[in-house]
Amino acid sequence: MATCPECDAEIEIDQDDLEEMEVGDPWNCDACGSSLRVANLTPLEFHGDDDDDDEVDDDGAGAG
């Protein structure tokens, strides 16, 4: 069983979904609603979905 990297809740997955799952597939945490991506299948692991790369801590970036 995998856990959400954002809230540490257990992520329960149907056996059918698990058989069709591939690395990189999107998933949502039922507990906190975070968007996740499958990072590894054995053991099953998820990473936060970092598609929002616009939120980078750049001091003064884009100024000028």
Side-chain angles (χ1 to χ4, degrees):
M1 191 58 55
T3 58
C4 174
E6 303 296 328
C7 71
D8 291 326
E10 275 193 16
I11 299 176
E12 295 185 27
I13 299 175
D14 242 23
Q15 186 62 32
D16 291 338
D17 289 337
L18 189 58
E19 290 173 3
E20 296 177 10
M21 201 172 272
E22 296 180 5
V23 171
D25 282 353
W27 197 265
N28 289 324
C29 175
D30 290 334
C32 70
S34 293
S35 296
L36 308 173
R37 292 271 174 190
V38 177
N40 194 25
L41 295 174
T42 307
L44 183 60
E45 294 179 343
F46 291 91
H47 286 198
D49 188 3
D50 296 331
D51 280 350
D52 297 330
D53 288 340
D54 296 343
E55 299 179 20
V56 177
D57 292 338
D58 288 336
D59 291 339

